[in-house]
Amino acid sequence: EAGVVQSPRYKIIEKKQPVAFWCNPISGHNTLYWYLQNLGQGPELLIRYENEEAVDDSQLPKDRFSAERLKGVDSTLKIQPAELGDSAVYLCASSRVQFSTQYFGPGTRLTVL
Amino acid sequence: SQELEQSPQSLIVQEGKNLTINCTSSKTLYGLYWYKQKYGEGLIFLMMLQKGGEEKSHEKITAKLDEKKQQSSLHITASQPSHAGIYLCGADIIGGGSQGNLIFGKGTKLSVKP
């Protein structure tokens, strides 16, 4: 069974530029999560989807971050414009349903110069 | 304040030695997950504990959840270089945030000297 796929793996951009991350969850997993992980910290939830509905986006900085999960499968997380403090690893995870085990992708390491 | 505290923050052990990592919460845990992360990679699921007093093992790794469901330990027997990495506990804390969302500790960095 294929795991969670994320791309790109690495991204370097200059501040004020836009950036987008893509995630393909495990087949059949209805719940999808985006996490932010800073160096030396555990992941912090940005947004959770149940199918195509964003059911918890309370931690998503909506002034510059946006996300979508069209058709309830793939998801895209966008930052516009990026700031220096956005440099981090962005992790995508999926689970079969809410409360079941979350499986993580390899992450996208973003560096903002 | 950090809702999940992990200790120690880092650990260096000689190959073959046993070690224990702890994860403590001030609130009751609905479910406790252990993950392993290597630098530059995602989290790999190890084990999930839900019942008070529960214990699970996989190869040389054993995880326990105490009766009060507020502390978990991860024990590695006869450590090997392949065990090196960052161990993270994640939990769904009853009464803390939206249920179904995991809160993570800061992780324990394990190094194993050959």
Side-chain angles (χ1 to χ4, degrees), chain A residues 9-10 33 35 37 39-43 45 48 56 91 98-107 109, chain B residues 2 30 33 35 37 39-45 48 88 92 98-107:
Chain A
R9 290 293 313 277
Y10 305 92
Y33 312 77
Y35 287 89
Q37 186 178 25
L39 189 64
Q41 304 291 318
L45 182 72
R48 172 168 64 98
D56 188 348
L91 294 163
Q98 185 188 9
F99 295 115
S100 61
T101 299
Q102 295 181 33
Y103 295 91
F104 285 77
R109 182 174 295 277
Chain B
Q2 191 75 17
Y30 179 79
Y33 296 77
Y35 289 88
Q37 185 176 32
Y39 181 77
E41 299 181 13
L43 281 64
I44 299 169
F45 170 70
M48 184 267 189
L88 290 146
D92 185 5
S98 302
Q99 288 195 2
N101 296 335
L102 295 183
I103 296 172
F104 285 89
K106 291 185 177 182

Side-chain angles (χ1 to χ4, degrees), chain B residues 21-74:
Chain B
I21 298 168
N22 294 302
C23 176
T24 303
S25 172
S26 57
K27 300 179 181 178
T28 302
L29 305 173
Y30 179 79
L32 189 289
Y33 296 77
W34 283 102
Y35 289 88
K36 179 184 176 184
Q37 185 176 32
K38 292 204 168 182
Y39 181 77
E41 299 181 13
L43 281 64
I44 299 169
F45 170 70
L46 296 175
M47 278 173 277
M48 184 267 189
L49 305 164
Q50 197 164 21
K51 299 177 183 177
E54 187 173 11
E55 178 176 323
K56 287 186 178 178
S57 293
H58 177 67
E59 297 179 345
K60 294 185 178 181
I61 301 177
T62 301
K64 301 178 185 179
L65 183 62
D66 75 349
E67 291 289 344
K68 293 185 178 179
K69 296 174 65 174
Q70 288 189 253
Q71 183 172 18
S72 177
S73 61
L74 186 82

Side-chain angles (χ1 to χ4, degrees), chain A residues 7-12 21 106-111, chain B residues 39-41:
Chain A
S7 69
R9 290 293 313 277
Y10 305 92
K11 189 74 176 179
I12 300 173
F21 314 125
T108 297
R109 182 174 295 277
L110 174 67
T111 301
Chain B
Y39 181 77
E41 299 181 13

